[in-house]
Amino acid sequence: MSDAPALPRRAFLGTIGAGTVSALSGCLGSGDSPSPSSLFSWPPQTDTDRVVLRSVYGRWLDWAQGRFEDEYGISFRNWEDPALWNYHPTETDALSPVLNPIHDHVLDPVSDRLGNPLSSTHGPTRAIDAVDVRPGWLEAGVENGSVKPLPVEKMPAWENIPERFRDGVHRQDGETYGVPTEAVLTTLAYNTDAFDEPPDSWDVLWDDRFDGEVVLGGGYWDLPLIAALYTEQDPKSPDDFEAIRDALERLKAQDVTMAYRDEVIETFQSDEAVVGTMWQSMAYRARFDRGLAVDYTVPREGSVYKCYYNIVPTDAPNPMAALRLLNWLSRPEAAAELFERERAVPAAGVGDELSHDVASYIRWDDSWTLYRTFPLSDDLSEGYGEIMRDVS
């Protein structure tokens, strides 16, 4: 899932984030389950033997499932698509006497194939315990009351989350609403055969020598922030929006290629691009999984990053079991497997669980100047959004 390609922030929140949680807004807070914030001490007590997730990290969770159950006696089922986290067949479905307990294999995929829109559902059926979300979803979920604060100070594995990831859209009004799962760094990627030395500035994207050979493969909101860095401005507090607009217009005129995830790798593989923006995890895949002459660097001006999160919905039927799972998934052995199985750079520390070479490649250097993309102030999201609408 992207963080809103080709849509300004407010439109994104309206169509994905706020649209999802608005369907929840009238159906929250039945009070049957304890709030995660009511946890007095660790570990949380629960009598359930199963939790339900919505997560894109299917291979990772396949690895975790048996291990978590062996340790805690709690199994879990991943319903995959987080965009549908407000929809789950209820036990009172007309077909449930026949299909329950296999309805989770039948009804939900059928409704998905039929294109069941989120707006047609009637809110949560209190069946989803944890969801992995993107920044816009989390921000909208907090605003609409569909995400509960988490007692991270009581969760032992919270100490495994580096300080740089403990703040962000998941921290609002002194509360923490999500556990960072994946750290997404936008890098300057380059073909090592085309450069004698790694490029050290974003200037290279605007270099006439590479007209038609530049690929932009980060997130939608990366572009105006990178243009701000190129124009020697603080991307979180720019004072010259016109310079940013002009830079993006010039970049567009240079016949750049817009790509996402694997498309970025394929653009380098086909020699259509020799330089561009690429997520750190994609650079690893290009270099080590595909064997391409591709590497990455963080320019002297700095770069931008964001996190993805695990949250507990307000109406989760088993919030205490969900807390146990989120804590377990932040431990070093689980964080390392997130990279090994998903090629997602974990937000939690991996300790000595990864080989030295792999750990070194995905480690974030303390000397890098990095700016957290989200949250964006209203003024900044409106200013950047207007530029992106005009330039796109």
Side-chain angles (χ1 to χ4, degrees):
M1 291 177 295
S2 73
D3 54 308
L7 283 175
R9 174 175 177 270
R10 292 188 178 277
F12 169 55
L13 294 183
T15 57
I16 300 293
T20 299
V21 294
S22 65
L24 300 170
S25 58
C27 312
L28 300 175
S30 66
D32 295 340
S33 301
S35 169
S37 59
S38 69
L39 181 67
F40 179 73
S41 62
W42 193 267
Q45 300 303 310
T46 179
D47 58 4
T48 188
D49 61 359
R50 178 178 175 180
V51 293
V52 179
L53 299 87
R54 289 282 197 187
S55 174
V56 298
Y57 304 115
R59 292 183 295 272
W60 182 43
L61 294 175
D62 285 345
W63 167 87
Q65 186 170 20
R67 291 165 175 81
F68 182 72
E69 184 174 8
D70 287 346
E71 188 164 344
Y72 293 108
I74 301 173
S75 65
F76 60 80
R77 175 68 51 79
N78 179 23
W79 277 57
E80 298 185 351
D81 190 352
L84 301 174
W85 67 280
N86 68 319
Y87 176 73
H88 188 113
T90 68
E91 292 183 358
T92 57
D93 264 319
L95 293 178
S96 64
V98 178
L99 296 178
N100 190 51
I102 64 167
H103 68 272
D104 48 347
H105 290 294
V106 179
L107 294 182
D108 193 65
V110 169
S111 69
D112 292 353
R113 287 199 301 271
L114 294 176
N116 182 35
L118 294 175
S119 60
S120 72
T121 63
H122 302 292
T125 58
R126 305 189 68 252
I128 308 300
D129 298 301
V131 189
D132 81 71
V133 297
R134 298 332 184 216
W137 299 20
L138 176 53
E139 195 169 10
V142 173
E143 291 173 0
N144 286 270
S146 60
V147 180
K148 277 294 187 182
L150 304 177
V152 294
E153 69 284 351
K154 295 183 176 69
M155 299 170 67
W158 184 251
E159 295 183 358
N160 200 39
I161 305 296
E163 284 292 336
R164 76 160 78 238
F165 300 140
R166 295 191 184 188
D167 201 7
V169 295
H170 60 302
R171 285 285 299 173
Q172 298 190 33
D173 299 323
E175 301 281 7
T176 302
Y177 289 87
V179 175
T181 304
E182 180 180 353
V184 184
L185 172 64
T186 298
T187 70
L188 178 58
Y190 62 98
N191 184 318
T192 56
D193 292 336
F195 290 84
D196 294 331
E197 296 180 351
D200 66 352
S201 171
W202 291 115
D203 291 358
V204 68
L205 301 182
W206 282 264
D207 193 322
D208 292 342
R209 292 177 299 169
F210 304 112
D211 278 4
E213 296 181 299
V214 173
V215 61
L216 302 178
Y220 174 83
W221 285 105
D222 295 347
L223 295 178
L225 276 73
I226 288 172
L229 290 170
Y230 166 68
T231 57
E232 300 182 346
Q233 301 185 68
D234 181 339
K236 300 304 292 288
S237 183
D239 53 20
D240 190 349
F241 279 101
E242 287 307 309
I244 296 170
R245 182 191 302 273
D246 176 68
L248 289 176
E249 287 177 343
R250 286 189 287 114
L251 195 60
K252 180 181 178 181
Q254 292 176 209
D255 192 26
V256 298
T257 299
M258 301 291 293
Y260 181 65
R261 296 189 69 87
D262 285 355
E263 295 174 351
V264 188
I265 299 175
E266 291 160 5
T267 304
F268 275 96
Q269 187 168 12
S270 63
D271 294 326
E272 296 176 59
V274 297
V275 69
T277 62
M278 181 185 285
W279 289 342
Q280 183 187 33
S281 58
M282 293 293 104
Y284 182 95
R285 289 183 57 191
R287 182 178 178 87
F288 296 102
D289 294 344
R290 299 279 191 98
L292 304 182
V294 172
D295 207 345
Y296 78 86
T297 185
V298 171
R300 62 173 182 267
E301 300 94 344
S303 192
V304 295
Y305 73 93
K306 54 183 166 286
C307 285
Y308 299 152
Y309 304 92
N310 266 314
I311 60 96
V312 176
T314 298
D315 259 9
N318 304 298
M320 296 304 173
L323 287 180
R324 282 200 171 203
L325 179 58
L326 266 56
N327 180 78
W328 191 87
L329 291 173
S330 296
R331 302 194 316 191
E333 63 270 27
E337 287 296 329
L338 179 65
F339 183 78
E340 294 283 16
R341 295 177 179 270
E342 303 283 355
R343 289 298 186 252
V345 176
V350 299
D352 297 325
E353 298 292 330
L354 291 176
S355 71
H356 175 74
D357 290 344
V358 172
S360 296
Y361 197 81
I362 64 173
R363 182 176 296 120
W364 293 19
D365 196 310
D366 290 338
S367 68
W368 293 342
T369 301
L370 300 178
Y371 299 86
R372 189 174 57 246
T373 306
F374 301 102
L376 294 174
S377 67
D378 287 344
D379 288 345
L380 200 55
S381 63
E382 290 173 6
Y384 281 156
E386 181 179 344
I387 291 173
M388 294 301 289
R389 284 192 299 272
D390 292 345
V391 173
S392 297

